[in-house]
Amino acid sequence: MPTKVETVKMLLGGNWVHSEETFEVRNPQNDELIAYVPSASRQEMLMAIEKADRTFRANELWPTHERIRVLQEVVEYMEENREEFARIIALESSKTIREARGEVKRATQTIQISAEEARRLKGETINFDQNEGSENRVGYFQRFPVGVIGAITPFNDPLNLVAHKIGPAIAAGNAMVLKPASVTPLSALKLAEAFVEAGLPEGYLSVVTGSGREIGDTLVTHPAVKMVSFTGGPKAGESITQKAGTKKLSMELGSNSPVIVMEDADIKNSVQSSVSGAFSAVGQNCIGVQRIYVHKSIYSHFLDAFVQETGSLNVGDKMDECTDVGPLINENEAIRVENWVEEAISQGAQVEIGGKRDGTFYYPTVLTQVPITSRLATEEIFGPVVLIETIESLDEAIDKANDVNYGLQAGIFTNDLNQAFKAIRRMDVGGLMINDSSDYRIDEMPFGGTKGSGIGREGVRYSMEAMTEQKVVCFKLN
């Protein structure tokens, strides 16, 4: 049965509004029209920013208990409407209905953690008498919200990555103007609805939908926006850093995540974890497994088991409870993945399984003998493709793992503590998972990377620290 086409509104300064122009949101699985969404103008973005700035200035002493109350009521709303949230995610994105339910659960936890961390946002006393001549001074530092935060989110986790922007911002007392990905704006608008229903004061949140080319620069460059929080591709991230100037920045810019499997690894666990890490969310995951380096002594066994496990995945209808892998976000992305794989094959890569496209679907693909000059070896594929290579030693694996301009997360499977700690010392990444794939994350941990993978760390507490300024107070006593 066709989905009912909705004409939705965006949240601008606390009010639900239409816009003169709209754009279409379509189901990537079948190109079915889901909704017409406002395509905001530059003037409307300015209105959202200016309302956020006025609201923040008028409510600088917004009490912590009120922020906690709002966030807890958002959690209640999400729990009561969790299946509707999941259905929206599954319809507009690449995720299966089971993956969508998992994302709703995580996003709800992210908002819950935000409520809990709001009460823990505090400074500390400073021992000024450690400095000779300052024996008569006492003081402390305190954290204050930065003001208006501009946030830009991607399509691959259309609810939880939005929650990771809004939750900490509100918990810390900031106002936020958010521009979600144009292909998946409905999840963000649904979360905005939860905040409105929870009684968030008008102006603290705007979700402005539309073209990044039309409204993105306004959000990034406006002087009232004191911080930009961005999750997306490295080219867009670099452009934002150039335009933002001296604003505070938080950026997560992707990866090409490696996993190392040593000779003493539990092969069953390493295969299952890595298959899940490579192909969940159809590989459109910034910490998804892309490169696997396997010790030569177990390489054949591991490869055979990995191919068999990959072949057992069900590719098909996102709304089917039995489906493991759905479509990519659009056919252009599927064609891009196909082209990258064909390029690697032309350079000598071997297809062990997959390598097939059907419209927006690209089947889970395992490649071996991929040359190091291939884009698949050095760039982020953001699709259901994994490379498996044999290595002779941990040192070789670490060198190869580090030899890209990304460093978000990695994994290593070993029961040898010495090997694990060598990897911890030497791998140039923001997170290393021991006996798990690079794809493991909980929403409270500091999340971010090195090199081209970004600036700063997310995770509620760490986002709140970035979204506040420290102010030192010192009393000179008589």
Side-chain angles (χ1 to χ4, degrees), residues 72-91:
Q72 288 178 332
E73 290 193 15
V74 170
V75 169
E76 292 173 8
Y77 185 93
M78 295 176 75
E79 290 176 339
E80 291 170 1
N81 296 275
R82 56 184 179 272
E83 192 64 21
E84 184 178 356
F85 273 99
R87 182 177 176 276
I88 290 171
I89 293 170
L91 280 175

Side-chain angles (χ1 to χ4, degrees), residues 318-335:
K318 294 182 296 180
M319 307 307 289
D320 189 323
E321 300 283 349
C322 297
T323 297
D324 300 305
V325 180
L328 277 84
I329 193 63
N330 56 48
E331 190 167 13
N332 285 339
E333 280 298 289
I335 291 171

Side-chain angles (χ1 to χ4, degrees), residues 164-176:
H164 267 284
K165 310 295 186 187
I166 301 177
I170 298 302
N174 296 287
M176 171 162 280

Side-chain angles (χ1 to χ4, degrees), residues 9-70:
K9 299 178 181 180
M10 63 182 173
L11 185 65
L12 200 160
N15 298 308
W16 294 104
V17 301
H18 290 292
S19 187
E20 289 185 7
E21 302 291 333
T22 63
F23 63 91
E24 298 177 345
V25 177
R26 291 181 173 272
N27 185 335
Q29 179 167 299
N30 52 21
D31 202 39
E32 181 182 32
L33 180 62
I34 302 171
Y36 294 102
V37 178
S39 184
S41 65
R42 178 178 179 275
Q43 187 60 38
E44 287 168 322
M45 175 59 84
L46 286 170
M47 290 170 58
I49 295 169
E50 290 163 5
K51 178 63 180 290
D53 189 40
R54 290 195 303 271
T55 301
F56 175 76
R57 292 178 184 278
N59 297 278
E60 288 189 61
L61 298 178
W62 189 24
T64 301
H65 67 83
E66 272 297 305
R67 297 178 233 155
I68 294 171
R69 180 196 62 77
V70 168

Side-chain angles (χ1 to χ4, degrees), residues 23 38 69 80 91 107 118 130 167 193 197 207 217 234 250 252 259 290 352-353 355 368 389 417 420 431 443 468 478:
F23 63 91
R69 180 196 62 77
E80 291 170 1
L91 280 175
Q130 66 187 277
E193 180 183 296
E197 292 296 315
V207 176
D217 283 0
S250 174
E252 194 271 283
V259 165
Q290 186 167 333
E352 303 294 337
I353 191 172
T368 56
E389 181 178 338
L417 284 177
D443 295 293
T468 53
N478 293 325

Side-chain angles (χ1 to χ4, degrees), residues 27 59 95 161 214 299-300 389 439:
N27 185 335
N59 297 278
K95 290 195 170 182
L161 290 180
E214 179 71 23
Y299 175 79
S300 295
E389 181 178 338
D439 189 42

Side-chain angles (χ1 to χ4, degrees), residues 263-371:
E263 66 270 30
D264 63 333
D266 180 326
I267 291 182
K268 182 178 179 180
N269 175 46
S270 61
V271 166
Q272 290 179 343
S273 297
S274 297
V275 167
S276 173
F279 302 125
S280 63
V282 69
Q284 294 173 139
N285 181 1
C286 55
I287 51 176
V289 177
Q290 186 167 333
R291 297 173 292 150
I292 305 178
Y293 299 105
V294 185
H295 194 272
K296 63 179 182 180
S297 63
I298 60 169
Y299 175 79
S300 295
H301 187 185
F302 178 92
L303 179 60
D304 289 344
F306 194 97
V307 169
Q308 182 176 355
E309 184 80 9
T310 300
S312 70
L313 298 173
N314 293 316
V315 179
D317 182 4
K318 294 182 296 180
M319 307 307 289
D320 189 323
E321 300 283 349
C322 297
T323 297
D324 300 305
V325 180
L328 277 84
I329 193 63
N330 56 48
E331 190 167 13
N332 285 339
E333 280 298 289
I335 291 171
R336 179 190 60 79
V337 171
E338 179 182 44
N339 289 340
W340 283 30
V341 171
E342 292 299 324
E343 177 188 88
I345 293 170
S346 71
Q347 296 172 346
Q350 176 72 35
V351 178
E352 303 294 337
I353 191 172
K356 173 187 173 184
R357 182 177 71 85
D358 181 8
T360 54
F361 289 87
Y362 196 86
Y363 282 71
T365 298
V366 178
L367 300 177
T368 56
Q369 302 177 43
V370 177

